[in-house]
Amino acid sequence: MTMAAKGEFSEEELEKNKKVYLSRLELYKSYGYDNEKERLFIINAAEPFGGSVLEAGTGKGHLALAIAKKGHKLITYDVDDTNQRYARMNIDSAGLSEKVKFLIESKEKLSFKDNSFDTVFCVNTLHHLRDSAIVLDELIRVLSDNGKFILSDFTKKAFDVMDVIHRNDGNEHEVVGWSMDKAAEFLKSKGCIITETADEYQTVYIIRKGVK
């Protein structure tokens, strides 16, 4: 278990990371994708939510930061400790280390018991999941019977933005997982009930387990 403990990073590291973080936000915004605005759109779509909160796929910590700023405590996990280190710095810089617990987990087999969380977020991660069915099954397993699972991924317009930015960075934006439509088909086959909302850049599903 890793936490963004106060004093984990030097002031120099935090300042350098903050400059990179803010410059990336401005870069995305210059192409029309406002990262902070889209995270708030997703969180507002999920409201009201609370209880025990889990985020699947920490990344650079954009969503964890936005949720913590709203006053919620959460657990966030990833398979990549390198990215999570940047996320811990972003949370630390915001003075929100006490609100976020960081874990490294196997996405195919989470360490949590069944029905452990009242709210589960999985944002802009689905398209990276080669094993989408296994991961979604795990997230449904750890969701409480009355809980809320928020699954969100880019629209085509946002994917086009990501493709351009990654290409300019000299790499490719990898898309190997399911589309949102394919995920919806799978989740409905499991008895889940889905409410959909969207803006230009994000499709958001609010998912509840069906009545047994």
Side-chain angles (χ1 to χ4, degrees):
M1 180 182 302
T2 307
M3 296 185 70
K6 189 173 180 62
E8 181 181 359
F9 307 106
S10 69
E11 290 298 325
E12 184 179 3
E13 279 182 298
L14 291 175
E15 187 59 31
K16 182 179 178 182
N17 181 70
K18 186 176 181 179
K19 286 181 179 176
V20 172
Y21 177 77
L22 293 175
S23 71
R24 293 299 289 183
L25 290 183
E26 288 304 313
L27 174 65
Y28 283 99
K29 201 180 290 186
S30 72
Y31 284 93
Y33 186 83
D34 187 329
N35 211 316
E36 292 177 313
K37 178 183 173 185
E38 293 307 321
R39 293 309 191 273
L40 281 178
F41 172 72
I42 294 163
I43 291 171
N44 289 337
E47 294 283 8
F49 70 90
S52 51
V53 180
L54 176 70
E55 182 198 13
T58 309
K60 296 292 197 307
H62 297 290
L63 184 72
L65 181 60
I67 293 172
K69 282 182 175 177
K70 286 277 192 178
H72 297 282
K73 289 188 174 181
L74 71 147
I75 293 173
T76 180
Y77 73 84
D78 208 304
V79 298
D80 184 344
D81 186 54
T82 302
N83 264 342
Q84 227 182 43
R85 178 176 168 78
Y86 294 120
R88 294 201 304 276
M89 283 195 274
N90 291 331
I91 297 292
D92 198 338
S93 291
L96 294 167
S97 299
E98 300 303 317
K99 289 194 174 294
V100 185
K101 180 180 290 184
F102 292 90
L103 299 176
I104 297 298
E105 290 273 332
S106 165
K107 59 184 184 299
E108 296 88 359
K109 184 61 180 175
L110 300 174
S111 63
F112 313 115
K113 294 180 180 177
D114 294 356
N115 308 314
S116 295
F117 295 95
D118 301 302
T119 310
V120 175
F121 284 90
C122 181
V123 172
N124 298 342
T125 298
L126 179 67
H127 64 272
H128 291 306
L129 302 174
R130 293 182 187 279
D131 41 10
S132 300
I134 297 172
V135 174
L136 291 176
D137 255 341
E138 274 298 271
L139 296 179
I140 291 297
R141 179 183 69 76
V142 301
L143 181 69
S144 67
D145 287 343
N146 295 315
K148 193 182 287 186
F149 172 26
I150 300 92
L151 179 67
S152 180
D153 212 340
F154 300 127
T155 62
K156 183 182 182 307
K157 185 171 184 176
F159 272 118
D160 288 345
V161 170
M162 301 305 147
D163 287 345
V164 171
I165 291 174
H166 279 260
R167 198 159 51 241
N168 289 343
D169 285 343
N171 55 50
E172 183 181 350
H173 184 220
E174 189 176 54
V175 178
V176 295
W178 280 356
S179 67
M180 289 289 280
D181 287 344
K182 179 68 177 175
E185 183 182 326
F186 174 79
L187 291 164
K188 287 175 182 175
S189 77
K190 298 286 182 179
C192 294
I193 300 165
I194 300 174
T195 303
E196 179 179 351
T197 188
D199 67 3
E200 280 185 288
Y201 296 100
Q202 293 288 154
T203 300
V204 183
Y205 292 163
I206 308 299
I207 301 155
R208 294 182 183 277
K209 290 183 176 179
V211 177
K212 294 180 179 177

